[in-house]
Amino acid sequence: MGSMPAPQIRPITSVHVSTKAMPYNHPHPSLEVTGGALHTFLPALKTLSRPYGPFPVIGWNCHVETIFAAFFRSLPDIKLKRECIRTKDDGSVALDWISGDHQLLPPDSPVLILMPGLTGGSEDSYVRHMLLRARSKGWRVVVFNSRGCGDSPVTTPQFYSASFLGDMQEVVAHVGSKYPKAHLYAVGWSLGANILVRYLGHESHSCPLSGAVSLCNPFNLVIADQDFRMLFSLKTWVVNLIFRWQLMPSLSGSLMMD
């Protein structure tokens, strides 16, 4: 029997922000590079050598920063066109496209799929700001509203979660079929980022996405759950009330929709 050819390994990088400045000709102390990606990606990531400076006044605490953005960040007014998809298990997800882009943009324009965080959807300010920024660069952008999020109905006992990839797979396949000449990309926040990274690992070399970005990903869900429960303890009752006021209506509204 002949020897099997050696498998081709794609470059892989994982990036963690550090506050220490490093010269450009040295790898970042918090940058783990494997698979030969050192010379491929690192030269383009010049900002990694700069020290991190939090936003003045509100950036000293993660909870303060999150709450401030939720209440005071502007909400861009964007006209969206909704496309409802019925999944193979009779579930429902909603895709929100910028209205008119199907006529304004060429068919080979890159497509960016936005995946919001827990209870998030196309009405969230951070999603809309990313949508506007990408659209200004000529990208076709679509927001993936998971089951029960963004006024998407819940029609099955199956809800969206970090371990459920069925909807992600169908959405990527659907978007790819609509624009076969375009490269597909995705950006996820928080829980959306966790689902996205899990999808990338599951699809591996057959992944139809040309690129993806994971933002604020709770990689270790066990620790993230423990921290989340600690947040809702009596010691932080003020923060508890604020987060409950923001999250619980979205969660309960999602579960009550059918």
Side-chain angles (χ1 to χ4, degrees):
M1 297 179 62
S3 60
M4 296 292 292
Q8 294 183 348
I9 306 298
R10 290 182 177 181
I12 301 174
T13 60
S14 61
V15 178
H16 306 277
V17 176
S18 173
T19 58
K20 296 181 179 180
M22 293 288 288
Y24 290 147
N25 60 341
H26 291 287
H28 191 276
S30 296
L31 180 65
E32 178 184 352
V33 186
T34 60
L38 176 62
H39 302 292
T40 304
F41 294 107
L42 193 60
L45 304 176
K46 296 182 179 180
T47 56
L48 289 177
S49 63
R50 303 173 187 172
Y52 170 71
F55 194 82
V57 183
I58 65 172
W60 64 274
N61 180 274
C62 58
H63 300 312
V64 172
E65 195 171 21
T66 299
I67 293 171
F68 181 89
F71 282 96
F72 299 106
R73 183 165 44 194
S74 63
L75 181 65
D77 185 16
I78 307 171
K79 187 176 182 180
L80 301 173
K81 182 178 181 180
R82 172 152 293 192
E83 178 184 12
C84 296
I85 298 179
R86 183 70 71 173
T87 60
K88 295 178 181 178
D89 67 341
D90 215 25
S92 301
V93 298
L95 301 181
D96 287 334
W97 306 81
I98 298 180
S99 181
D101 271 2
H102 65 289
Q103 297 175 331
L104 298 175
L105 295 176
D108 60 348
S109 297
V111 180
L112 180 63
I113 303 172
L114 301 182
M115 303 179 62
L118 180 65
T119 77
S122 56
E123 293 299 320
D124 287 281
S125 60
Y126 67 91
V127 175
R128 292 204 171 197
H129 278 283
M130 178 70 80
L131 188 151
L132 279 182
R133 180 64 63 89
R135 180 59 184 83
S136 68
K137 303 297 183 180
W139 290 57
R140 191 189 311 275
V141 191
V142 58
V143 182
F144 172 18
N145 298 282
S146 297
R147 304 186 187 202
C149 297
D151 293 328
S152 178
V154 176
T155 56
T156 62
Q158 173 67 57
F159 199 53
Y160 84 102
S161 69
S163 62
F164 181 61
L165 296 179
D167 291 349
M168 178 69 183
Q169 293 168 331
E170 292 194 46
V171 166
V172 173
H174 174 76
V175 173
S177 66
K178 286 176 69 75
Y179 300 100
K181 297 181 180 180
H183 290 289
L184 305 183
Y185 301 86
V187 172
W189 292 265
S190 190
L191 181 58
N194 194 281
I195 296 174
L196 173 59
V197 170
R198 190 169 187 274
Y199 167 80
L200 296 174
H202 183 272
E203 296 299 309
S204 187
H205 297 300
S206 61
C207 181
L209 296 179
S210 298
V213 177
S214 165
L215 301 172
C216 304
N217 190 336
F219 286 102
N220 191 322
L221 292 175
V222 175
I223 295 179
D225 179 67
Q226 293 173 351
D227 289 343
F228 205 63
R229 293 174 185 273
M230 187 180 301
L231 174 65
F232 291 149
S233 67
L234 293 177
K235 295 180 181 179
T236 55
W237 64 273
V238 176
V239 177
N240 181 356
L241 291 176
I242 296 175
F243 274 90
R244 283 181 182 271
W245 184 60
Q246 285 291 105
L247 290 175
M248 294 307 293
S250 299
L251 286 173
S252 59
S254 299
L255 296 173
M256 291 175 63
M257 295 177 62
D258 191 338

